[in-house]
Amino acid sequence: MATVILVRHGRTTANATGLLAGRAAGVSLDQTGREQAVLTGERLAAVPVVGVVSSPLERCQQTAQLILDRQAGTPYAPVEPDLTECDYGQWQGRMLSDLATEDLWSAVQSQPSAVVFPGGESMAGMQARAVAAIRRHDAAFEAEYGPGAVWVAVSHGDVIKSIIADALGMHLDLFQRINVGPASVSIVRYSATRPSVYATNTEAGDLSWLSNGVHSTDAPVGGGAGHQAP
């Protein structure tokens, strides 16, 4: 199938101050976040992506636009509600330092599959709807553009971590072992047999090898020769 590049939005004013923004409106990229997103857009400029799908929240749409601005073509750019941030309910708008004193915090760290945020969403529910959205768009892009298609999904830290955990075959309770920094790039390819994870949490490096698509084969014994830039 197609290959998806998972991009977290750049840093926001909330990230910089330790505030859990959640789904609050008006949370924008700060100057550092814009610079991070520009760098990611420049990295992806070498890859002719067929689509840039974004969470509806402002910080993701800003990041998506900075990626689109650097594409030679005009990729399809829909908003996908199921890639939105986790609904943190009553935790939204509070400082992370305060939330760390809550009894629920330890479960978020060690048993997220059992967590339901008060007045909000379960973390398992977040993962289920995000993974379903990624697989749905991936299948649609593959059907329209062929198995070499590459596309981008711009979303949020916990959401992307949960998608990567699913692709790695990890239980959600282990997903806190994954790190996803602002404007970082992770790469996943789905196939008829299993997903393959090509990169996680990268902030630099040449991505031009993706310009010809990724061609799935059986996993090479010994690791193989890797990908060559065009």
Side-chain angles (χ1 to χ4, degrees):
M1 296 179 73
T3 300
V4 58
I5 300 172
L6 302 167
V7 176
R8 184 185 169 195
H9 61 78
R11 196 182 81 168
T12 67
T13 51
N15 296 145
T17 58
L19 183 76
L20 184 62
R23 297 180 177 181
V27 179
S28 302
L29 302 183
D30 64 10
Q31 182 59 36
T32 295
R34 286 190 290 273
E35 292 170 359
Q36 291 168 335
V38 166
L39 177 59
T40 297
E42 291 172 350
R43 292 180 70 200
L44 292 174
V47 187
V49 301
V50 298
V52 179
V53 182
S54 175
S55 155
L57 295 182
E58 183 175 356
R59 54 197 183 270
C60 286
Q61 294 201 59
Q62 289 175 321
T63 301
Q65 188 58 56
L66 289 167
I67 293 170
L68 288 164
D69 288 346
R70 286 153 183 81
Q71 284 290 306
T74 53
Y76 179 51
V79 169
E80 174 51 69
D82 284 338
L83 292 181
T84 196
E85 180 65 284
C86 185
D87 183 354
Y88 296 114
Q90 295 171 19
W91 278 32
Q92 179 173 300
R94 295 178 59 190
M95 298 299 294
L96 293 173
S97 56
D98 293 335
L99 293 170
T101 67
E102 297 277 354
D103 291 341
L104 186 61
W105 182 267
S106 62
V108 171
Q109 301 302 313
S110 62
Q111 197 180 7
S113 66
V115 169
V116 181
F117 291 101
E121 182 178 28
S122 71
M123 298 193 85
M126 171 197 74
Q127 182 186 46
R129 48 100 169 158
V131 170
I134 290 294
R135 288 179 175 266
R136 183 172 66 251
H137 283 284
D138 196 75
F141 283 123
E142 194 272 343
E144 184 167 356
Y145 298 100
V150 180
W151 64 286
V152 175
V154 183
S155 190
H156 307 267
D158 280 349
V159 176
I160 292 175
K161 285 164 60 176
S162 75
I163 294 166
I164 294 171
D166 172 78
L168 290 169
M170 293 171 58
H171 196 283
L172 184 60
D173 286 347
L174 302 178
F175 98 133
Q176 299 293 20
R177 301 184 183 192
I178 299 169
N179 289 288
V180 175
S184 65
V185 167
S186 302
I187 304 169
V188 176
R189 181 178 175 84
Y190 297 93
S191 73
T193 54
R194 60 179 176 269
S196 295
V197 177
Y198 286 86
T200 62
N201 196 35
T202 69
E203 297 178 356
D206 177 31
L207 296 174
S208 63
W209 58 273
L210 282 167
S211 62
N212 293 325
V214 177
H215 303 287
S216 290
T217 60
D218 287 340
V221 176
H227 297 283
Q228 301 297 316

